[in-house]
Amino acid sequence: MTNYKNRTVGVVGMGRTGLSVARYLANQGARVLAYDRKPFEEFGESDRAEWLALENVERRTGHEKENALDGVDLLVLSPGVPPEIPPVARQREKGIPVWSEIELASQALREPILAIGGTNGKSTTTTLLGNLLKAAGWNPFVGGNLGTPLIEAVGEDYDQYVVEVSSFQMEATDMFRPHVAVLLNITPDHLDRYPSIHEYARAKAAMFRRMLPDDIAIVNGDDPQVARVLPNGPQIWKWSFKEPVALGAWADAEGLHFSTPAAVFMLRREEIALKGRHNEENVMAAVLAALTAGATPANIRIVLEHARPLPHRVEFVREVRGVSYFDDSKGTNIGAVATALQGFTQPVVLIAGGVDKGGDYHEIDAVVREHARAVIVIGEAADRIADAWGELVTVRKAKTMDEAVRKAAAAARPGDVVLLSPACSSFDMFRNYHERGLAFQAAVQAIEP
């Protein structure tokens, strides 16, 4: 374990992760310099109280000064903090190491890490894997980018660490080495931050960098972007919808087939509560990862029989006058929208829009043409989406979520689906995807039967 005693460590980003990192480092004897662009007075009362209670921590907030982090020996970035911001870039140029919270935590852990990465499906797969390991008798930590920072697991009595990881977190890793790493898919996302999908894919694949021959990489065998970043070090298990695989899983008309050193078996679709092709991918990935840890077909079947979608991930809300409403507010990129649309056989009235993330909406023209009856657009990206899909399908604009739901209800016919799957982040109209999803659900509940 790295010794931080009497070292000065900068913590950038003073949200939940930053607070957990600062508390850990202070307990390790480090001098902590915590920095956030938001003025301290704008923090919530409970957050301010927690920061004020920390000893050996200096807080610097407000205007982003280039020299705000001078004097540190190490920087730890909270998720989503760009390494290009001036105070961080200045320290990098001076040769100061820059780590993510995931890197800091992993250096203090000795039990196996199972990392879940990819553009879409990470949270569902992470949660499902955690449940599969619990059913197999393990006591796993389940968190990371999903919610609870990994640093909060240090010193606790876990025997496995199931961790959702983002490209941002993987950018700032050095010694991070999972025993099992799952790469679900790579579709265009965060292109407002990465110059190309190839740079984005390279950041995703950083999870493989330190893996050894006794480690296992579980990857999407049908994804061309994943194929470009396959690692050389670990064993590779694949899943596919196109063909059987020698080591891994595949899907056909019968169901989901698994072939690993631990078990060879099939799951029929009626045994799996989670529906849709996107969830079948998540199931194959999670089950393969669970098999590496000793899960059995019997306890896998019990978990899958009772699994439920996570909130705001193609979550059924209500049926009104023959129209079914689904909340996929977590669908914040174009690939997620395509996956959600393809999961329905009925015509879909899609609600999309928010803060544009730099993707090309034309990439899913064929999916929109095939599955969407109409599109209701909201937020800053409304005009760009309307320009892209206006010749494919009827597009209407709305200023609020309530108006969007009313217009979607008017456009839908009995038997149709109304789907919120925005392809964009939420920060123009809402604090986060959760708030956006709740606004959609409230508007749906307000529809007269």
Side-chain angles (χ1 to χ4, degrees):
M1 182 183 295
T2 305
N3 184 4
Y4 302 102
K5 190 173 179 62
N6 296 323
R7 296 180 67 186
T8 301
V9 183
V11 176
V12 187
M14 291 169 59
R16 176 179 179 179
T17 298
L19 182 64
S20 297
V21 168
R23 184 182 295 115
Y24 168 76
L25 289 168
N27 288 339
Q28 296 295 311
R31 296 183 295 268
V32 178
L33 195 166
Y35 172 76
D36 198 292
R37 285 179 286 186
K38 184 168 71 172
F40 194 59
E41 295 74 23
E42 294 182 10
F43 283 64
E45 184 175 339
S46 61
D47 290 337
R48 288 202 308 272
E50 287 196 65
W51 278 104
L52 290 169
L54 289 181
E55 297 182 1
N56 214 22
V57 175
E58 177 185 350
R59 299 174 307 280
R60 295 181 185 175
T61 60
H63 183 66
E64 189 177 278
K65 296 181 180 178
E66 192 175 71
N67 64 352
L69 296 167
D70 281 2
V72 300
D73 305 310
L74 168 69
L75 281 180
V76 181
L77 305 186
S78 295
V81 174
E84 297 82 16
I85 65 171
V88 175
R90 174 182 170 94
Q91 303 310 314
R92 293 176 73 190
E93 290 168 3
K94 291 161 60 175
I96 299 299
V98 177
W99 293 353
S100 66
E101 169 264 339
I102 290 282
E103 173 70 16
L104 177 76
S106 69
Q107 293 200 18
L109 299 175
R110 293 294 174 263
E111 303 300 333
I113 294 174
L114 297 85
I116 314 296
T119 306
N120 300 307
K122 296 188 296 297
S123 296
T124 296
T125 304
T126 300
T127 302
L128 181 57
L129 175 55
N131 290 335
L132 289 168
L133 293 181
K134 290 173 187 174
W138 295 99
N139 177 35
F141 167 86
V142 182
N145 193 58
L146 171 67
T148 306
L150 181 58
I151 195 68
E152 294 187 13
V154 176
E156 300 297 327
D157 188 25
Y158 296 109
D159 47 27
Q160 303 269 339
Y161 299 93
V162 181
V163 187
E164 177 184 320
V165 298
S166 70
S167 59
F168 298 168
Q169 290 170 317
M170 289 297 96
E171 283 178 33
T173 55
D174 181 17
M175 302 301 293
F176 178 74
R177 177 200 162 197
H179 173 55
V180 176
V182 177
L183 186 53
L184 293 165
N185 45 61
I186 298 174
T187 61
D189 196 10
H190 300 299
L191 298 184
D192 51 346
R193 172 157 169 175
Y194 295 99
S196 70
I197 190 171
H198 303 298
E199 292 299 318
Y200 171 61
R202 192 150 50 212
K204 287 284 185 193
M207 67 164 74
F208 300 135
R209 189 165 46 206
R210 293 279 182 177
M211 295 179 77
L212 299 175
D214 60 341
D215 298 323
I216 300 169
I218 299 172
V219 301
N220 186 336
D222 299 337
D223 190 311
Q225 295 295 339
V226 170
R228 292 188 178 98
V229 294
L230 288 180
N232 294 319
Q235 304 170 49
I236 296 179
W237 297 10
K238 296 182 179 181
W239 74 87
S240 175
F241 280 86
K242 296 180 178 179
E243 57 188 2
V245 300
L247 185 57
W250 69 94
D252 62 14
E254 288 186 281
L256 309 186
H257 303 259
F258 297 86
S259 177
T260 76
V264 176
F265 64 103
M266 185 189 78
L267 292 170
R268 299 185 307 277
R269 286 183 172 84
E270 55 266 30
E271 297 181 276
I272 305 170
L274 296 172
K275 301 304 180 184
R277 172 170 166 155
H278 63 295
N279 275 323
E280 290 185 4
E281 293 192 23
N282 299 335
V283 166
M284 286 193 284
V287 168
L288 287 174
L291 289 169
T292 71
T296 66
N299 51 46
I300 286 169
R301 285 188 164 90
I302 292 171
V303 172
L304 294 180
E305 180 183 354
H306 297 96
R308 294 292 179 267
L310 294 179
H312 313 302
R313 294 160 175 87
V314 198
E315 177 188 6
F316 176 70
V317 179
R318 184 188 182 199
E319 182 180 322
V320 188
R321 299 195 294 272
V323 176
S324 298
Y325 291 79
F326 287 83
D327 169 10
D328 188 39
S329 183
K330 191 65 167 64
T332 58
N333 58 72
I334 296 164
V337 176
T339 299
L341 287 171
Q342 290 168 326
F344 295 103
T345 56
Q346 313 98 303
V348 176
V349 178
L350 174 67
I351 299 174
V355 179
D356 188 86
K357 298 172 77 176
D360 182 358
Y361 297 102
H362 286 298
E363 288 190 2
I364 64 169
D365 280 359
V367 177
V368 171
R369 185 185 291 110
E370 179 181 355
H371 292 274
R373 181 184 300 284
V375 178
I376 314 300
V377 292
I378 58 175
E380 293 178 6
D383 288 340
R384 186 159 180 244
I385 298 173
D387 289 344
W389 295 341
E391 295 184 3
L392 307 176
V393 66
T394 299
V395 176
R396 299 187 175 100
K397 295 181 182 179
K399 294 182 178 179
T400 67
M401 184 63 76
D402 286 344
E403 183 185 357
V405 170
R406 289 196 301 271
K407 288 188 173 181
R413 303 173 188 173
D416 285 359
V417 164
V418 170
L419 170 69
L420 170 68
S421 192
C424 299
S425 60
S426 59
F427 305 122
D428 54 344
M429 297 171 65
F430 305 97
R431 287 181 297 178
N432 49 47
Y433 76 85
H434 175 65
E435 183 178 88
R436 176 170 59 190
L438 292 179
F440 171 77
Q441 294 188 23
V444 170
Q445 296 297 345
I447 299 172
E448 294 289 337

